[in-house]
């Protein structure tokens, strides 16, 4: 049985976690990017000769000591929507639960990752607009080119996520597809947020100049 | 799991002893994805002379621990006792796990593995 009482609390605190793990998590595949980042930080590989900088995520080139892969919590409840329409394509809302991020953690990278699917037609020139969603959609924050089947990435730091500020408990975004003349719509099949944060309390103090 | 002390007890010179931490042992194997455990190690051993001297190949010898050991050798029943056998070099680990919102989280922890012990 898991240690309980002060021993477990001390160990959790040492690991920077404040909630006792809740039983068995919902099994889901570990995203390849997380495996890659884990292996990159594996000390045995580090000993093999490319030194690791503390509190830095080499592969993403940013400061950080906590990386989270957060799936859209509304993905599986979204209706597929029409694949073809003369009118506007349906807009999508994606929601990311950030309640696990501590106030002391500051974001250094917030990368939205999406995958669209559509019937094979001319999808040249497609773009996707991203806006923050409160009660109503806010102004368009950024617009990115998209192509069905390909992983679309968009950096939200400084746009939908304020740098050097504590994170909100939930991040909701409104996505809209701008498809030009074609009547084809797309389906949003994957949506996740790759969030890198820095908890400076866990970082070694900077070395004093001698 | 830790190795039994050298010679059946915590004797011998100050050095690193194996200590393996298994997440299964503490019942966290369902939400810790990787690693399954890690070698944390610990320091144990005596820090009297000559053990308080650095291991061959270490830095120059004369430091506070040696003075401390000299004073202890001169007046074992008085003073502060021998130097302590403590971690001298540590390295980090990373842990991949599911948090309570089923997100996959990678956390990096400094100073989690004892690579070297020394008398201080």
């Amino acid at each position: 049985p898991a240690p309980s009482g002060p021993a477990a609390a001390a160990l959790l605190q040492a690991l920077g976690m404040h909630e006792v793990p809740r039983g068995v998590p919902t099994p889901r595949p570990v995203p390849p990017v997380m495996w890659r980042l884990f292996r990159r930080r594996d000390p045995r590989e580090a000993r093999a000769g490319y030194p690791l900088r503390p509190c830095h995520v080499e592969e993403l080139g940013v400061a950080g000591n906590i990386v989270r892969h957060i799936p859209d919590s509304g993905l599986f409840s979204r209706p597929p929507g029409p694949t073809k329409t003369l009118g506007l394509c349906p807009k999508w809302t994606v929601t990311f639960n950030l309640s696990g991020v501590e106030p002391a953690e500051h974001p250094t990278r917030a990368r939205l990752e999406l995958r669209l699917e559509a019937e094979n037609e001319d999808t040249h020139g497609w773009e996707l607009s991203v806006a923050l969603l409160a009660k109503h959609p806010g102004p368009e924050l950024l617009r990115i080119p998209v192509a069905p089947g390909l992983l679309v990435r968009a950096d939200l730091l400084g746009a939908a996520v304020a740098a050097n500020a504590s994170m909100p408990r939930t991040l909701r975004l409104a996505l809209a597809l701008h498809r030009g003349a074609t009547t084809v719509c797309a389906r949003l099949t994957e949506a996740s947020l790759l969030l890198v944060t820095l908890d400076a309390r866990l970082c070694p103090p900077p070395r004093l100049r001698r | 799991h830790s190795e039994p002390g050298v010679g059946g007890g915590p004797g011998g010179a100050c050095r690193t002893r194996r200590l393996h931490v298994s997440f299964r042992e503490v019942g966290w194997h369902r939400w810790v994805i990787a690693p399954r455990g890690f070698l944390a190690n610990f320091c144990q051993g005596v820090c009297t002379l000559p053990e308080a001297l650095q291991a061959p190949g270490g830095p120059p010898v004369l430091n506070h621990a040696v003075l401390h050991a000299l004073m202890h050798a001169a007046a074992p029943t008085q003073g502060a006792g021998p130097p302590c056998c403590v971690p001298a070099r540590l390295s980090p680990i990373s842990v991949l796990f599911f948090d309570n919102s089923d997100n996959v989280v990678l956390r990096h922890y400094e100073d989690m593995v004892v690579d070297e012990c020394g008398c201080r």
Side-chain angles (χ1 to χ4, degrees):
Chain A
S4 56
L11 188 56
L12 272 175
Q13 190 176 1
L15 294 176
M17 299 174 207
H18 303 290
E19 281 179 300
V20 175
R22 180 199 70 240
V24 181
T26 312
R28 75 177 178 92
V30 176
V33 64
M34 296 302 282
W35 274 124
R36 214 173 39 247
L37 290 173
F38 171 74
R39 287 204 184 79
R40 182 70 181 81
R41 295 290 307 182
D42 184 334
R44 283 159 298 185
E45 282 196 39
R47 283 198 187 87
Y50 38 105
L52 297 174
R53 285 166 52 193
C55 292
H56 193 77
V57 183
E58 265 75 344
E59 180 147 326
L60 299 177
V62 291
N65 45 12
I66 304 164
V67 183
R68 290 185 177 82
H69 182 278
I70 305 167
D72 167 27
S73 48
L75 189 61
F76 299 107
S77 57
R78 179 177 298 108
T83 54
K84 279 190 179 225
T85 173
L86 289 177
L88 289 177
C89 286
K91 292 190 176 176
W92 299 301
T93 299
V94 292
T95 304
F96 300 113
N97 175 0
L98 306 177
S99 57
V101 180
E102 301 281 341
E105 296 177 46
H106 291 289
T108 57
R109 172 65 51 93
R111 188 166 78 184
L112 178 66
E113 300 192 337
L114 304 168
R115 197 180 299 272
L116 307 178
E117 280 182 8
E119 289 172 13
N120 285 330
E121 269 203 53
D122 177 21
T123 58
H124 179 68
W126 277 20
E127 289 183 323
L128 190 75
S129 63
V130 179
L132 265 179
L133 186 62
K135 282 198 180 51
H136 305 286
E140 180 179 306
L141 297 175
L142 41 94
R143 183 171 287 218
I144 46 179
V146 294
L150 296 180
L151 189 63
V152 176
R153 290 192 172 122
D155 218 340
L156 300 180
L157 201 65
V161 174
N164 294 322
S166 294
M167 297 293 289
R169 294 185 62 78
T170 305
L171 179 66
R172 294 183 70 220
L173 300 174
L175 310 177
L177 183 64
H178 306 272
R179 56 188 179 154
T182 175
T183 59
V184 172
C185 282
R187 284 186 310 283
L188 180 63
T189 55
E190 271 181 50
S192 61
L193 180 69
L194 189 70
L195 177 67
V196 180
T197 59
L198 179 69
D199 184 340
R201 299 169 303 174
L202 302 175
C203 297
R207 288 179 181 275
L208 295 177
R209 290 186 185 281
R210 284 202 174 79
Chain B
H1 306 280
S2 59
E3 69 174 75
V6 172
C14 167
R15 66 179 178 82
T16 307
R17 315 296 174 139
R18 280 175 63 87
L19 173 67
H20 180 262
V21 174
S22 156
F23 288 126
R24 175 174 289 276
E25 293 286 333
V26 295
W28 291 359
H29 53 292
R30 287 196 180 71
W31 58 276
V32 174
I33 303 168
R36 301 238 173 260
F38 67 99
L39 264 180
N41 300 327
F42 66 98
C43 298
Q44 200 172 58
V46 290
C47 276
T48 51
L49 288 175
E51 285 83 2
L53 299 174
Q54 290 296 332
V61 173
L62 192 59
N63 59 33
H64 180 270
V66 171
L67 287 177
H68 195 163
L70 276 171
M71 298 309 290
H72 174 67
T77 57
Q78 299 165 30
C84 304
C85 179
V86 292
R89 191 163 61 82
L90 293 143
S91 57
I93 70 164
S94 292
V95 178
L96 195 62
F97 60 91
F98 287 110
D99 69 6
N100 274 334
S101 309
D102 288 344
N103 302 322
V104 175
V105 182
L106 172 68
R107 279 193 86 130
H108 180 71
Y109 299 100
E110 290 295 331
D111 300 340
M112 288 287 273
V113 176
V114 174
D115 288 330
E116 271 181 30
C117 296
C119 294
R120 294 290 182 275

